Amino acid sequence: MKVLVAVKRVIDYNVKIRVKPDHSDVDLTNVKMAMNPFCEIAVEEAVRLKEKGVATEVVAVTIGPKAAQEQLRTALALGADRAVHVETEERVESLAAAKLLAKVVEEEQPGLVILGKQAIDTDNNQTGQMLAALAGLPQGTFASEVKVDGGKVQVTREVDGGLQTVELTLPAVITTDLRLNEPRYAKLPDIMKAKKKPLDVKSPADYGVEVASKLTLLKVESPAERKGGIKVGSVDELVDKLKNEAKVL
């Protein structure tokens, strides 16, 4: 079974985000970029399926600028066999990304597609669901456990009320949650080997998909500074402050 894994280039989660002085966008000057954390979990799950003998090939795909090949090489170092880069300098929105991924799915014919449930830059949580709809595939979102058995896959999902397990017929789309696994670190020999693994470069035009943004970014602002908390000496004092200062009671 072939597993297709989508990854995204984002600002490293350890970096403190800066806004441009004119508030037109986030300042990316000299900012460290990395693979989206949820995408790392998706890659790890695909590699584990291969190590178990469930998957025979892991293909990583990304949509983004030329620099995004760095994240694809990371996926290859973590255990993916080859990669596909849909290169574009446009700001790609969720629907356009889903349309491109649907074309890649049509071309690659994977038995399973795994994506992170969301990207930490936009936090949209849309692409996996849109991809499943466009490709006509069953979906299991927010996966905290994945079990493949023959032509079926059981996905344990994290929902508000606890855990829900659904069974999907392969091929299917899965989006990963935080507790699915803990991604490994790429070893130096694997990083060196990844440089020789195949990486195909395509363009949105190759798939007949228009990626021009339909949204206009008007303004970006940093979150308001949070005030420090205080300690109270008793429950009565707490109630008094909530009632007379915070005005929430």
Side-chain angles (χ1 to χ4, degrees):
M1 179 178 70
K2 181 190 297 184
V3 179
L4 183 71
V5 185
V7 301
K8 186 179 182 183
R9 177 181 174 87
V10 299
I11 297 175
D12 189 283
Y13 71 92
N14 291 306
V15 173
K16 182 175 175 60
I17 305 299
R18 300 190 307 270
V19 175
K20 290 182 177 179
D22 62 359
H23 296 276
S24 62
D25 207 340
V26 173
D27 188 357
L28 299 180
T29 306
N30 298 322
V31 171
K32 181 183 178 183
M33 306 297 283
M35 187 189 299
N36 177 50
F38 290 102
C39 298
E40 289 183 341
I41 294 170
V43 172
E44 175 66 25
E45 191 63 22
V47 172
R48 291 188 184 189
L49 289 173
K50 184 181 175 184
E51 290 173 344
K52 292 176 183 176
V54 174
T56 55
E57 184 183 27
V58 176
V59 182
V61 58
T62 196
I63 303 162
K66 186 174 182 179
Q69 290 187 18
E70 178 185 352
Q71 281 62 54
L72 283 178
R73 292 297 179 190
T74 298
L76 293 170
L78 292 172
D81 298 292
R82 58 186 178 88
V84 177
H85 180 203
V86 184
E87 186 175 336
T88 176
E89 297 296 328
E90 296 278 355
R91 183 195 297 270
V92 181
E93 295 164 5
S94 300
L95 180 57
K99 287 179 178 179
L100 284 169
L101 290 174
K103 292 293 186 180
V104 176
V105 168
E106 182 181 337
E107 182 178 80
E108 294 286 343
Q109 293 293 307
L112 187 62
V113 184
I114 309 179
L115 308 86
K117 71 171 184 178
Q118 65 194 72
I120 62 172
D121 53 358
T122 57
D123 272 340
N124 285 333
N125 182 15
Q126 296 174 328
T127 304
Q129 292 89 327
M130 289 177 171
L131 169 60
L134 291 170
L137 299 176
Q139 60 179 299
T141 55
F142 318 129
S144 62
E145 186 177 2
V146 174
K147 293 181 180 179
V148 179
D149 184 12
K152 304 282 187 179
V153 57
Q154 288 189 354
V155 180
T156 299
R157 307 176 59 241
E158 296 192 350
V159 296
D160 290 342
L163 298 176
Q164 177 191 67
T165 300
V166 296
E167 186 174 77
L168 313 174
T169 301
L170 296 174
V173 175
I174 293 174
T175 69
T176 62
D177 215 331
L178 283 173
R179 278 159 287 279
L180 178 58
N181 60 52
E182 184 175 342
R184 71 193 68 189
Y185 291 99
K187 299 176 182 177
L188 182 57
D190 295 327
I191 294 174
M192 301 305 293
K193 290 176 184 176
K195 295 179 180 180
K196 297 181 180 180
K197 290 184 178 180
L199 192 159
D200 295 330
V201 179
K202 302 287 186 72
S203 70
D206 292 334
Y207 295 108
V209 176
E210 174 61 51
V211 296
S213 178
K214 302 296 190 297
L215 301 176
T216 301
L217 183 61
L218 299 179
K219 189 177 182 181
V220 176
E221 291 188 8
S222 298
E225 292 289 335
R226 298 180 65 179
K227 296 181 179 179
I230 62 170
K231 291 184 179 181
V232 296
S234 67
V235 173
D236 291 338
E237 184 183 354
L238 172 62
V239 172
D240 178 68
K241 288 185 177 296
L242 291 174
K243 184 182 296 183
N244 299 316
E245 294 183 19
K247 306 293 186 182
V248 295
L249 293 179

